[in-house]
Amino acid sequence: MRHKNLRFIPLVVLFATSTAVHADGVIKQLHKVNKQLSHVENTLSGTQNKYNNTTRTMKELKDGTYAEKSVERAVKKKQEKVVNNLIDSSNNVIRKATNSD
């Protein structure tokens, strides 16, 4: 009886190996699909942002406030950049002062 059961061991090992290899392939395909979906999602998000910006610009042009709002956005962006540069500079000074010990 024991001899009969031993005949099936190679078949079980082959089946288990085949299943593991197939599962690995499926996981790789799922990762690939997930990556592609992320790319599509990012593309859609970028397209939505462009649409929103275009819609906002058209509304501002219609209302006659485009130039004013455009300048406001430019000033706000420049202020944010100046503040970020100041923060980065102070962080660098602090880092250099603490590393010199």
Side-chain angles (χ1 to χ4, degrees), residues 3-43:
H3 193 291
K4 273 187 172 180
N5 291 341
L6 290 177
R7 288 187 310 180
F8 294 110
I9 290 177
L11 184 60
V12 169
V13 169
L14 180 63
F15 179 72
T17 305
S18 173
T19 304
V21 169
H22 181 68
D24 188 46
V26 168
I27 290 171
K28 285 180 182 177
Q29 286 289 21
L30 286 174
H31 283 298
K32 185 177 178 181
V33 168
N34 188 34
K35 199 174 188 181
Q36 290 170 340
L37 287 174
S38 293
H39 178 72
V40 168
E41 189 177 64
N42 290 338
T43 301

Side-chain angles (χ1 to χ4, degrees), residues 77-89:
K77 199 180 263 188
K78 187 69 171 175
Q79 287 172 340
E80 288 174 357
K81 189 174 181 181
V82 167
V83 169
N84 287 339
N85 286 342
L86 184 62
I87 291 170
D88 290 343
S89 295

